């Protein structure tokens, strides 16, 4: 029971922080605001996080929550390509509509500068587990090429998504991330379809 409460407290802090970052901006959000919004205490906050800056690395948690929310929508009639395109669309629609470019740029920059843990690359994330499952099933069903390992395809797909997010930030959000991804991701994934082996 204590472990569940621990997860809930940390999760409430993360959810409250990102809600406030979006509504008020990162600079205008204080630890006190986050504690109030999450209905926790300063002691709880500092038990999990060194400060507000430490929350930037938790955007990966927000992304993983989105993937968990999408799991029931991945129906058996969807092939592996459909599932990957759908997940890409839904994540980028969330970013376009609810994560400011400034916050995403901060996350990417913290990951570039991090010497230790790189949250986006954590292979135990829901994101990577889900990708491995979809790609493995797609290979077994003959939908995806088998001359590349599951891990090679997962790495390429994750790299593709990070590249899209990085470019969107680099360009100052001058185009719709979700519209561009909807256009380009199917072309990128086509090279992994069964029969595309060279």
């Amino acid at each position: 029971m204590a472990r569940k409460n621990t997860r809930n407290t940390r999760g409430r802090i993360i959810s409250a922080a990102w809600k406030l970052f979006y509504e008020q901006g990162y600079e205008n959000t204080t630890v006190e605001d986050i504690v109030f919004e999450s209905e926790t205490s300063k002691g709880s906050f500092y038990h999990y996080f060194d400060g507000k800056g430490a929350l930037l690395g938790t955007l990966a948690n927000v992304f993983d929550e989105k993937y968990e929310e999408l799991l029931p929508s991945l129906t058996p009639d969807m092939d592996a390509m459909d599932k990957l395109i759908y997940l890409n669309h839904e994540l980028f629609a969330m970013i376009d509509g609810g994560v400011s470019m400034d916050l995403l740029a901060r996350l990417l920059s913290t990951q570039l500068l991090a010497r230790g843990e790189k949250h986006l690359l954590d292979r135990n994330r829901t994101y990577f587990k889900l990708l491995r499952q979809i790609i493995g099933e797609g290979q077994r069903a003959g939908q995806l090429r088998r001359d590349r390992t599951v891990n090679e395809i997962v790495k390429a797909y994750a790299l593709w998504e990070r590249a899209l997010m990085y470019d969107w930030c680099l360009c100052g959000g001058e185009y719709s991330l979700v519209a561009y991804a909807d256009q380009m991701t199917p072309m990128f994934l086509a090279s992994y379809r069964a029969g595309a082996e060279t």
Side-chain angles (χ1 to χ4, degrees):
M1 192 63 147
R3 180 176 286 166
K4 185 176 182 187
N5 288 339
T6 296
R7 206 173 312 135
N8 288 344
T9 301
R10 185 175 186 277
R12 285 203 330 262
I13 292 168
I14 292 169
S15 296
W18 284 99
K19 177 179 181 284
L20 292 169
F21 291 166
Y22 179 66
E23 292 173 356
Q24 301 175 181
Y26 176 80
E27 297 299 336
N28 294 326
T29 300
T30 65
V31 169
E32 289 76 15
D33 293 335
I34 296 166
V35 167
F36 180 80
E37 181 70 28
S38 64
E39 298 179 346
T40 58
S41 66
K42 263 193 171 178
S44 293
F45 179 92
Y46 286 109
H47 175 74
Y48 296 108
F49 304 103
D50 293 335
K52 184 175 72 168
L55 283 153
L56 289 172
T58 64
L59 186 54
N61 297 67
V62 176
F63 290 170
D64 281 353
E65 283 179 14
K66 181 66 175 176
Y67 290 120
E68 287 169 14
E69 178 187 310
L70 295 171
L71 278 173
S73 306
L74 300 176
T75 59
D77 62 312
M78 298 169 80
D79 72 11
M81 291 291 195
D82 293 335
K83 289 176 182 176
L84 293 172
I85 290 167
Y86 172 74
L87 290 173
N88 176 264
H89 171 85
E90 292 298 318
L91 177 70
F92 285 0
M94 181 189 89
I95 291 170
D96 250 357
V99 177
S100 78
M101 188 200 57
D102 177 58
L103 287 174
L104 187 58
R106 283 177 189 264
L107 167 70
L108 294 171
S109 67
T110 62
Q111 296 296 279
L112 285 171
L113 299 172
R115 296 204 187 279
E117 187 177 3
K118 295 186 188 277
H119 306 285
L120 285 179
L121 300 179
D122 180 357
R123 297 297 184 249
N124 292 316
R125 286 182 52 206
T126 298
Y127 173 71
F128 286 107
K129 290 177 183 175
L130 185 55
L131 290 182
R132 286 191 297 267
Q133 177 186 334
I134 291 169
I135 291 166
E137 288 171 358
Q139 284 185 326
R140 287 189 293 279
Q143 300 161 355
L144 298 176
R145 59 193 294 173
R146 297 171 75 167
D147 64 331
R148 298 285 183 263
T149 67
V150 168
N151 286 336
E152 286 173 329
I153 299 174
V154 166
K155 182 175 182 176
Y157 179 85
L159 185 135
W160 168 254
E161 287 199 320
R162 287 195 307 273
L164 289 172
M165 289 188 282
Y166 179 82
D167 186 72
W168 184 65
C169 291
L170 196 62
C171 293
E174 68 185 22
Y175 58 87
S176 166
L177 176 62
V178 69
Y180 187 72
D182 284 351
Q183 179 186 2
M184 302 305 291
T185 300
M187 288 192 280
F188 166 75
L189 287 173
S191 65
Y192 290 99
R193 191 176 290 282
E197 293 86 352
T198 54

